[in-house]
Amino acid sequence: MIRFSLFGIPVEIQPFFWVVTALLGGATYADSREAFLAVSLFVIAALISILVHELGHALTGRKLGGGYATIMLTSFGGLAMNQGGRFTRHQRFLMIAAGPGAGFAFLLVIIVILSLIFGGADVMALTSRELFGIRMPFRTNELVDFLNDKPFMHLFLGNLLWINFWWGLVNLLPVMPLDGGQITDLYVKPQRRVFLIGLVAASAMALYGFLKMGLYPGFLFGFLAWQNYQNMKSVSWQ
Ligand SMILES: [Zn+2]
């Protein structure tokens, strides 16, 4: 177990965080030094991105309602808690939205810094290639040469862009306990309906995951669908 403190907020990283993140990064196929390094870079990129996200929650919570803020990284990503804080519904919304908000702001900062160095057009070309697989022509060779010279930097930047964009979007799906689900829970009553929405959205994602993205996203959303179904059965319609 690793424990440290960031901006006065205690952070705890459980052993399973490393295991699951390494598996997500392709640890099962890492049979060479280069492949092992690539998995390590993915884990570092995920660690930084999740910490930024959870700090968004925790720092906003501390500013709005006080409480004792902590961050925990587990096998299912991160968790920020504000124990003993009292929040209105609007404050809760801000606190939840601050996580994905911090991630998207971090993404923007990376893009702006790269644009200042290599020019906006080429950074747009890189971003659309890394995020959507769209191949736009580069105007100069500067960025391409830089990335070819430093393949691991290329991989690391690609991971940072990908994680902060796609994980950020997926996390906004209306599925409990993702941030999108928690926002739904603030505004949709009765709570049974929140879990019903979660069940439908997670089932659709599980199907899409198995068909298009691979086993892990399929299983993850299959598990969330099952969890939402169990919760739906246990709360009343009132
Ligand atoms: Zn979050």
Side-chain angles (χ1 to χ4, degrees):
M1 194 93 73
I2 297 178
R3 287 197 181 91
F4 56 96
S5 168
L6 267 180
F7 302 101
I9 293 169
V11 179
E12 183 181 307
I13 306 179
Q14 296 186 344
F16 259 104
F17 171 79
W18 306 109
V19 177
V20 173
T21 314
L23 285 176
L24 270 180
T28 345
Y29 316 106
D31 51 2
S32 64
R33 252 180 84 133
E34 282 74 24
F36 180 76
L37 196 57
V39 174
S40 310
L41 286 176
F42 177 84
V43 172
I44 296 169
L47 174 70
I48 295 171
S49 306
I50 294 175
L51 282 176
V52 167
H53 176 104
E54 299 306 332
L55 275 174
H57 289 308
L59 291 175
T60 308
R62 189 170 74 180
K63 200 169 162 61
L64 290 176
Y68 178 64
T70 51
I71 292 174
M72 198 159 75
L73 303 195
T74 68
S75 49
F76 266 108
L79 206 63
M81 285 164 294
N82 281 74
Q83 276 160 346
R86 292 183 162 273
F87 303 99
T88 63
R89 184 160 68 170
H90 180 62
Q91 285 174 328
R92 280 195 181 281
F93 170 79
L94 291 177
M95 202 167 95
I96 298 168
F104 291 130
F106 182 47
L107 180 68
L108 199 66
V109 167
I110 297 171
I111 290 175
V112 167
I113 291 175
L114 285 176
S115 300
L116 290 174
I117 304 172
F118 298 105
D122 281 357
V123 174
M124 273 335 281
L126 173 75
T127 309
S128 55
R129 188 176 292 202
E130 295 291 340
L131 294 184
F132 311 106
I134 300 170
R135 296 194 163 264
M136 279 160 58
F138 286 89
R139 277 199 200 165
T140 68
N141 286 330
E142 243 179 291
L143 183 56
V144 180
D145 289 346
F146 171 78
L147 296 174
N148 284 342
D149 280 351
K150 301 182 178 59
F152 288 113
M153 186 62 162
H154 186 180
L155 215 55
F156 185 61
L157 269 178
N159 284 334
L160 278 181
L161 294 173
W162 204 88
I163 290 171
N164 281 284
F165 184 77
W166 286 114
W167 287 15
L169 276 190
V170 164
N171 180 48
L172 284 173
L173 288 169
V175 177
M176 282 289 261
L178 303 179
D179 288 331
Q182 300 203 28
I183 290 174
T184 312
D185 192 35
L186 289 179
Y187 298 101
V188 173
K189 296 283 172 273
Q191 206 185 26
R192 201 173 170 121
R193 195 167 284 151
V194 176
F195 291 120
L196 179 63
I197 294 171
L199 169 64
V200 173
S203 303
M205 273 302 286
L207 196 65
Y208 182 77
F210 279 126
L211 293 176
K212 296 269 177 188
M213 294 191 293
L215 278 183
Y216 189 85
F219 273 121
L220 172 67
F221 277 96
F223 173 73
L224 290 176
W226 176 79
Q227 215 181 32
N228 275 265
Y229 174 66
Q230 294 299 325
N231 282 321
M232 190 182 85
K233 283 196 304 185
S234 69
V235 294
S236 73
W237 276 109
Q238 264 75 53

